[in-house]
Amino acid sequence: MYQEESFPVRTPSYMPQLTLYYFLKKRANLQTLSLYGRIGHHSNGQEGGFYLKDGDINLKSGSFSTNYLELGFIKTNVSGRLNAYQFYKTSLEFHPKKLVDTPLHGMYSRLRWNNSLSIFRLSPEIMQNNSKRPAMSLKGETTWKFGDYENLNTFSPQRLNLSLTFYYHPNFLEDIGFFARYYHGSDYYNIYFDHQLDILRFGIMTEKLSF
């Protein structure tokens, strides 16, 4: 929000998606393998020119819009050795050139490899009572951006987006837990994509997960 009259929220993100899931394999004890496909859109609802007169990106009213297709797999299972529920997702995300704003060509990666791994630590009490929730969880997410853009080298660290989140739910709190999250990579806020971020965040949250 900007500190102006009515405190406007500029360039909000519009991200409608349509996702279809298909079970390839399903076994007892939460072991599943699924295929999913997604059609997505990401824009900021602005119609101004992408560049300012001085050549900088128009962050205030510049138009940002892209559409993409995503295809991937989701695998879940419970590890008896680790006493943990594991969730892994991997996908390829493709932004067709004709469905991406022209000014973004050569600046925005149109092919991305996304990965997500979550581990929920299970106590013996949770294993016996499926109404209880894990006390701890760890989630890691990565995105590797392919293609020829921004004159980046093939293995440039700027091609990597990385996120790590640790969540802890103490026994004395019913619905609230604590988390710490670190993010490194390009800004995910639509037209700010050209900025690089390093963010360390602490806070409280609810983690709704039951078995």
Side-chain angles (χ1 to χ4, degrees):
M1 296 192 301
Y2 286 75
Q3 190 175 358
E4 298 177 4
E5 185 177 353
S6 83
F7 297 97
V9 179
R10 287 222 173 84
T11 64
S13 287
Y14 299 90
M15 304 178 70
Q17 301 173 354
L18 177 64
T19 308
L20 178 65
Y21 298 91
Y22 179 75
F23 272 118
L24 297 174
K25 185 185 299 183
K26 185 175 183 179
R27 297 179 179 176
N29 205 21
L30 297 174
Q31 296 187 30
T32 66
L33 179 63
S34 305
L35 173 70
Y36 78 94
R38 174 176 295 153
I39 299 174
H41 170 81
H42 187 188
S43 66
N44 64 352
Q46 306 300 306
E47 59 180 9
F50 187 80
Y51 292 107
L52 299 171
K53 291 182 179 180
D54 61 4
D56 292 338
I57 296 177
N58 180 6
L59 301 178
K60 184 175 181 179
S61 62
S63 173
F64 171 93
S65 179
T66 181
N67 300 274
Y68 63 91
L69 305 172
E70 187 176 353
L71 183 65
F73 292 92
I74 300 173
K75 183 178 181 181
T76 66
N77 71 289
V78 173
S79 172
R81 182 173 62 87
L82 299 175
N83 270 351
Y85 172 78
Q86 300 172 331
F87 172 96
Y88 175 67
K89 179 173 70 173
T90 184
S91 68
L92 285 176
E93 177 184 319
F94 175 61
H95 298 245
K97 190 172 184 178
K98 292 184 178 181
L99 301 180
V100 178
D101 272 358
T102 301
L104 297 179
H105 297 173
M107 297 185 63
Y108 190 84
S109 171
R110 296 189 298 108
L111 180 61
R112 300 171 177 226
W113 179 29
N114 303 312
N115 292 278
S116 177
L117 174 64
S118 298
I119 300 176
F120 302 88
R121 183 71 174 177
L122 306 174
S123 66
E125 291 80 8
I126 292 175
M127 297 292 285
Q128 296 174 9
N129 183 356
N130 61 14
S131 65
K132 293 187 176 182
R133 294 177 299 165
M136 292 185 295
S137 66
L138 181 66
K139 182 177 182 180
E141 298 177 292
T142 64
T143 295
W144 185 262
K145 295 168 287 186
F146 292 95
D148 182 16
Y149 76 103
E150 294 282 13
N151 297 318
L152 294 177
N153 295 327
T154 303
F155 300 104
S156 170
Q158 291 188 32
R159 292 182 178 270
L160 176 67
N161 291 348
L162 171 67
S163 173
L164 292 173
T165 304
F166 174 76
Y167 171 81
Y168 174 63
H169 177 250
N171 292 330
F172 61 86
L173 291 178
E174 182 176 352
D175 295 318
I176 302 296
F178 304 97
F179 78 92
R181 182 174 187 258
Y182 171 70
Y183 176 81
H184 165 81
S186 57
D187 199 327
Y188 37 80
Y189 191 50
N190 53 69
I191 202 167
Y192 289 77
F193 69 93
D194 198 40
H195 296 173
Q196 288 290 309
L197 301 179
D198 280 283
I199 301 174
L200 182 60
R201 177 180 293 130
F202 301 92
I204 59 175
M205 64 182 289
T206 58
E207 181 77 358
K208 186 70 173 179
L209 181 68
S210 60
F211 296 92

